[in-house]
PDB file of all heavy atoms in Angstrom:
ATOM      1  N   ARG A 309     209.272  83.806  98.499  1.00  0.00           N
ATOM      2  CA  ARG A 309     207.826  83.534  98.595  1.00  0.00           C
ATOM      3  C   ARG A 309     207.028  84.820  98.756  1.00  0.00           C
ATOM      4  O   ARG A 309     205.933  84.955  98.197  1.00  0.00           O
ATOM      5  CB  ARG A 309     207.565  82.582  99.768  1.00  0.00           C
ATOM      6  CG  ARG A 309     207.998  81.161  99.466  1.00  0.00           C
ATOM      7  CD  ARG A 309     207.830  80.248 100.666  1.00  0.00           C
ATOM      8  NE  ARG A 309     208.186  78.873 100.335  1.00  0.00           N
ATOM      9  CZ  ARG A 309     208.540  77.970 101.219  1.00  0.00           C
ATOM     10  NH1 ARG A 309     208.600  78.276 102.509  1.00  0.00           N
ATOM     11  NH2 ARG A 309     208.857  76.739 100.838  1.00  0.00           N
ATOM     12  N   THR A 310     207.575  85.754  99.520  1.00  0.00           N
ATOM     13  CA  THR A 310     206.892  87.043  99.712  1.00  0.00           C
ATOM     14  C   THR A 310     206.762  87.775  98.381  1.00  0.00           C
ATOM     15  O   THR A 310     205.690  88.298  98.046  1.00  0.00           O
ATOM     16  CB  THR A 310     207.665  87.920 100.721  1.00  0.00           C
ATOM     17  OG1 THR A 310     207.709  87.236 101.968  1.00  0.00           O
ATOM     18  CG2 THR A 310     206.987  89.264 100.916  1.00  0.00           C
ATOM     19  N   LEU A 311     207.852  87.815  97.609  1.00  0.00           N
ATOM     20  CA  LEU A 311     207.827  88.495  96.316  1.00  0.00           C
ATOM     21  C   LEU A 311     206.861  87.816  95.349  1.00  0.00           C
ATOM     22  O   LEU A 311     206.095  88.477  94.654  1.00  0.00           O
ATOM     23  CB  LEU A 311     209.231  88.526  95.704  1.00  0.00           C
ATOM     24  CG  LEU A 311     210.189  89.581  96.268  1.00  0.00           C
ATOM     25  CD1 LEU A 311     211.617  89.297  95.815  1.00  0.00           C
ATOM     26  CD2 LEU A 311     209.772  90.977  95.828  1.00  0.00           C
ATOM     27  N   ALA A 312     206.902  86.493  95.302  1.00  0.00           N
ATOM     28  CA  ALA A 312     206.020  85.758  94.391  1.00  0.00           C
ATOM     29  C   ALA A 312     204.556  85.968  94.752  1.00  0.00           C
ATOM     30  O   ALA A 312     203.699  86.121  93.877  1.00  0.00           O
ATOM     31  CB  ALA A 312     206.366  84.273  94.406  1.00  0.00           C
ATOM     32  N   GLY A 313     204.280  86.003  96.046  1.00  0.00           N
ATOM     33  CA  GLY A 313     202.901  86.160  96.502  1.00  0.00           C
ATOM     34  C   GLY A 313     202.346  87.553  96.308  1.00  0.00           C
ATOM     35  O   GLY A 313     201.128  87.748  96.321  1.00  0.00           O
ATOM     36  N   SER A 314     203.235  88.531  96.114  1.00  0.00           N
ATOM     37  CA  SER A 314     202.769  89.916  95.998  1.00  0.00           C
ATOM     38  C   SER A 314     202.796  90.435  94.564  1.00  0.00           C
ATOM     39  O   SER A 314     202.579  91.619  94.324  1.00  0.00           O
ATOM     40  CB  SER A 314     203.632  90.832  96.885  1.00  0.00           C
ATOM     41  OG  SER A 314     204.990  90.775  96.472  1.00  0.00           O
ATOM     42  N   ALA A 315     203.065  89.555  93.592  1.00  0.00           N
ATOM     43  CA  ALA A 315     203.084  89.980  92.184  1.00  0.00           C
ATOM     44  C   ALA A 315     201.667  89.932  91.632  1.00  0.00           C
ATOM     45  O   ALA A 315     201.111  88.846  91.454  1.00  0.00           O
ATOM     46  CB  ALA A 315     204.004  89.061  91.380  1.00  0.00           C
ATOM     47  N   PRO A 316     201.055  91.094  91.356  1.00  0.00           N
ATOM     48  CA  PRO A 316     199.631  91.117  90.991  1.00  0.00           C
ATOM     49  C   PRO A 316     199.287  90.379  89.699  1.00  0.00           C
ATOM     50  O   PRO A 316     198.244  89.736  89.609  1.00  0.00           O
ATOM     51  CB  PRO A 316     199.320  92.615  90.869  1.00  0.00           C
ATOM     52  CG  PRO A 316     200.638  93.291  90.706  1.00  0.00           C
ATOM     53  CD  PRO A 316     201.643  92.448  91.412  1.00  0.00           C
ATOM     54  N   VAL A 317     200.158  90.454  88.681  1.00  0.00           N
ATOM     55  CA  VAL A 317     199.827  89.799  87.413  1.00  0.00           C
ATOM     56  C   VAL A 317     200.490  88.441  87.268  1.00  0.00           C
ATOM     57  O   VAL A 317     200.235  87.703  86.328  1.00  0.00           O
ATOM     58  CB  VAL A 317     200.236  90.685  86.205  1.00  0.00           C
ATOM     59  CG1 VAL A 317     199.387  91.934  86.149  1.00  0.00           C
ATOM     60  CG2 VAL A 317     201.710  91.036  86.263  1.00  0.00           C
ATOM     61  N   GLY A 318     201.362  88.121  88.220  1.00  0.00           N
ATOM     62  CA  GLY A 318     202.101  86.867  88.143  1.00  0.00           C
ATOM     63  C   GLY A 318     203.586  87.136  88.000  1.00  0.00           C
ATOM     64  O   GLY A 318     204.014  88.288  87.843  1.00  0.00           O
ATOM     65  N   ILE A 319     204.378  86.083  88.036  1.00  0.00           N
ATOM     66  CA  ILE A 319     205.826  86.247  88.092  1.00  0.00           C
ATOM     67  C   ILE A 319     206.533  85.026  87.519  1.00  0.00           C
ATOM     68  O   ILE A 319     206.010  83.908  87.592  1.00  0.00           O
ATOM     69  CB  ILE A 319     206.273  86.492  89.558  1.00  0.00           C
ATOM     70  CG1 ILE A 319     207.738  86.934  89.648  1.00  0.00           C
ATOM     71  CG2 ILE A 319     206.005  85.255  90.427  1.00  0.00           C
ATOM     72  CD1 ILE A 319     208.122  87.458  91.037  1.00  0.00           C
TER      73      ILE A 319
END
Side-chain angles (χ1 to χ4, degrees):
R309 286 176 177 158
T310 299
L311 282 167
S314 60
V317 293
I319 191 168

